[in-house]
Amino acid sequence: MGWNSWNSFANIVNSQIVQQQAQTLASNGMKKAGYEYVVIDEGWWLGKRDGAGNFVVDAKQWPAIRPGEKDGDMANIAAYIHSLGLKAGIYTDAGIDGCSMYPDSGPKYLNTGSEGHYDQDFLQFSKWGFDYVKVDWCGGAKNKRSGAVQYAQIAHAIQKAEKTTGRKLYFSICEWGSQNPWFWAPGVGEIESTIWRTGGDIIPPVVESLHDAEHDKRVITAANVLESFDNGLHPEAQHTGYYNDLDMMVMGMRGMTDALDRTHMGLWALSSAPLMVGSDLTRLSPATLSLLTNEEALAIHNDAYGLQPIKVDEPAAGVQIWAKPMAIAGRRAVVVLNRTDASAQVNIDWKKLGLKGSPKSLRDVWNKQDLASVDATVSVPAHDLVLVVVDGEDAAPAEYAAHETSITGIQAPFRASFAQLHYANTTGHIVVLRMKSMSGLSTAIALPPTAGSEAGTVGLILPKGTAELLFEGQGAAIRKLDVFAW
Ligand code: GLA
């Protein structure tokens, strides 16, 4: 959760803008709600290196902020962000050229990527004090590189840098889904946690201060938001620590209405997608800010299993019911999404959510109130979204015992299904398992440490059909898998 400079500032980003946005994030309630990263995207560096291959940045764009600092040192802005109790993020490209060869405004710049300098660049980011790095794919695509290969090398460079500085550098992969990153990005280069972009940009940047014809015509529509959500669904790849990235958010930006803001927030929270807000935070309306900081929506987003939702029903074309399995037994977050021009009355069939009988309670997240009855009829205005937390009793799962290195014959007969893996990991650190299935599932699962004889659980979503899980890697004992057929 955090802020990213690209959507609203593109390549005009500079120290003053980042300071102002960071101050706003720290004081408008967002930091308190859990937003913590301030990420500087493309435009901070124009491809210049010194004789030793070190980055050279514009000293006016990144001046000293506090006494004793040098102009042109990126450590200044990282220290400033840290002084507000926030974490700092930066950006590069996996290839030789970055995206600056197709500039959003201003001239072209070549050589804005890190290929050939991975160890040096990621160590430099970490030494400057950055905690997060987004790695784009313009140069990789231009030179027809393999994403799996380049991003594994980068993961190794990051791990080396972390060892040297002792500072965690969170890895954000931005390959736009072009080489199916959901198959290789979870655990790439043995990394314990990562996010990967699943599609192209939600919209080209909308820089309000530029007033040029190109930026003035950019207006966000419902299609931009819905397409990013639809493209981003790869639920079998997403587990604790590994997340599909639906792109930076455009809440409150040009074209967004209250209903579209609700739709955007609801779908990103339901998907446990990174909430990297790309808006100009100084211009957020009270309504947008209250959606971004809605604790009940954020609790859904931050659920320990971090799963994506399953589409359980589409009672009329464009009227959809999505349910996200949560770590608390019998709990689901449910979205009723109305993509149509007319309001809809929707009746929810609780059986399709894997519940035994009617739920015990229903909670309306936007209005922060319990619904008086557990009547299953929900009204949703045109192009809007209702978000409800449902508590009930899970129908009994099918139990699969684990053999030494596999669980076989797993059935998800009707549709993608929620499953819970029980394990013990007494190594004291995260163990990353590779899991493969006959039905095409190939992913990694990060197993957090467990204490003593207690079992831990992680959630997963199995693809429809028959699966077999083969574990490679050691250090954790897999006990069993419970499959809840919805
Ligand atoms: C790509 C990425 C965007 C942004 C721009 C910067 O388009 O997908 O998120 O980083 O590059 O040029």
Side-chain angles (χ1 to χ4, degrees):
M1 292 168 67
W3 174 83
N4 174 297
S5 58
W6 185 252
N7 288 347
S8 294
F9 298 98
N11 45 11
I12 69 165
V13 67
N14 63 27
S15 178
Q16 218 189 339
I17 290 172
V18 177
Q19 287 178 55
Q20 200 183 29
Q21 296 295 317
Q23 275 163 25
T24 310
L25 182 82
S27 57
N28 70 357
M30 288 178 70
K31 176 184 168 196
K32 194 158 162 264
Y35 294 86
E36 59 173 347
Y37 289 99
V38 173
V39 180
I40 305 166
D41 205 283
E42 168 107 75
W44 67 271
W45 173 58
L46 302 176
K48 215 166 126 196
R49 294 181 186 265
D50 66 16
N54 299 306
F55 296 111
V56 176
V57 299
D58 181 343
K60 287 206 196 75
Q61 190 182 2
W62 304 107
I65 301 171
R66 291 187 296 190
E69 292 179 348
K70 286 195 311 280
D71 291 339
D73 184 350
M74 295 305 288
N76 305 341
I77 192 70
Y80 180 83
I81 294 168
H82 289 157
S83 75
L84 298 173
L86 298 167
K87 290 184 176 160
I90 194 150
Y91 165 97
T92 188
D93 193 281
I96 295 167
D97 287 324
C99 298
S100 286
M101 61 185 163
Y102 314 113
D104 179 62
S105 66
K108 280 188 190 187
Y109 291 97
L110 297 177
N111 300 309
T112 56
S114 285
E115 193 180 321
H117 297 269
Y118 288 163
D119 285 352
Q120 181 176 18
D121 288 1
F122 291 90
L123 180 60
Q124 180 65 83
F125 296 146
S126 194
K127 283 189 166 164
W128 277 335
F130 287 96
D131 310 282
Y132 177 110
V133 60
K134 169 174 164 184
V135 186
D136 216 336
W137 190 238
C138 280
K142 182 180 168 189
N143 291 331
K144 302 199 169 30
R145 297 286 190 257
S146 150
V149 171
Q150 300 306 126
Y151 285 101
Q153 286 176 9
I154 293 168
H156 291 145
I158 286 176
Q159 285 158 328
K160 273 198 229 165
E162 288 176 339
K163 276 217 182 89
T164 308
T165 63
R167 173 186 290 283
K168 177 101 196 97
L169 187 59
Y170 192 88
F171 188 23
S172 157
I173 297 173
C174 181
E175 182 270 357
W176 324 310
S178 63
Q179 295 178 18
N180 303 333
W182 36 91
F183 289 127
W184 49 262
V188 69
E190 296 76 46
I191 208 130
E192 286 176 3
S193 181
T194 189
I195 56 177
W196 60 90
R197 274 273 296 276
T198 48
D201 297 3
I202 193 164
I203 185 166
V206 183
V207 184
E208 297 285 355
S209 64
L210 282 179
H211 302 301
D212 59 32
E214 191 46 46
H215 284 84
D216 283 349
K217 75 175 184 220
R218 293 177 184 166
V219 179
I220 301 151
T221 64
N224 296 123
V225 173
L226 293 174
E227 204 182 291
S228 289
F229 169 69
D230 293 334
N231 279 337
L233 292 165
H234 303 284
E236 312 85 21
Q238 182 166 318
H239 323 101
T240 311
Y242 302 119
Y243 304 94
N244 292 286
D245 178 357
L246 311 184
D247 201 3
M248 287 97 69
M249 303 180 86
V250 290
M251 304 266 300
M253 289 176 58
R254 195 189 299 153
M256 295 294 285
T257 59
D258 286 350
L260 199 44
D261 267 356
R262 260 193 303 278
T263 303
H264 192 0
M265 183 69 189
L267 294 176
W268 266 237
L270 191 74
S271 309
S272 286
L275 302 182
M276 298 300 289
V277 182
S279 329
D280 176 349
L281 301 181
T282 65
R283 295 162 57 107
L284 291 178
S285 71
T288 304
L289 194 55
S290 101
L291 279 171
L292 282 167
T293 56
N294 180 310
E295 331 65 83
E296 299 187 20
L298 292 175
I300 294 170
H301 175 264
N302 297 336
D303 175 69
Y305 284 171
L307 295 173
Q308 287 195 321
I310 297 170
K311 189 169 109 183
V312 294
D313 207 359
E314 182 151 355
V319 180
Q320 303 176 334
I321 303 175
W322 293 84
K324 172 202 186 76
M326 311 235 335
I328 294 179
R331 178 171 294 181
R332 291 105 179 76
V334 177
V335 147
V336 186
L337 172 65
N338 184 357
R339 299 171 181 248
T340 75
D341 296 332
S343 67
Q345 286 279 108
V346 179
N347 205 271
I348 302 177
D349 176 354
W350 302 116
K351 266 208 296 303
K352 292 191 173 161
L353 277 68
L355 290 177
K356 226 162 134 185
S358 292
K360 292 191 208 92
S361 69
L362 294 183
R363 175 90 179 162
D364 173 352
V365 170
W366 299 146
N367 297 310
K368 300 185 186 170
Q369 63 189 23
D370 291 335
L371 298 180
S373 83
V374 290
D375 175 10
T377 310
V378 176
S379 343
V380 197
H383 298 289
D384 210 330
L385 170 154
V386 169
L387 178 57
V388 181
V389 174
V390 179
D391 273 297
E393 200 183 329
D394 284 317
E399 225 182 275
Y400 294 83
H403 309 297
E404 211 152 288
T405 56
S406 67
I407 298 179
T408 50
I410 304 160
Q411 302 291 330
F414 311 119
R415 61 166 70 92
S417 288
F418 170 44
Q420 216 174 29
L421 187 69
H422 296 247
Y423 70 95
N425 167 14
T426 51
T427 62
H429 52 80
I430 291 176
V431 167
V432 179
L433 280 189
R434 275 314 305 177
M435 308 227 329
K436 287 184 193 161
S437 84
M438 310 309 261
S439 51
L441 171 72
S442 162
T443 187
I445 301 187
L447 303 177
T450 53
S453 59
E454 259 175 51
T457 63
V458 288
L460 45 148
I461 293 182
L462 299 166
K464 181 178 170 191
T466 306
E468 178 175 59
L469 300 178
L470 307 171
F471 324 122
E472 293 162 12
Q474 334 125 355
I478 306 302
R479 301 242 167 103
K480 64 163 181 164
L481 185 77
D482 283 339
V483 178
F484 298 84
W486 285 15

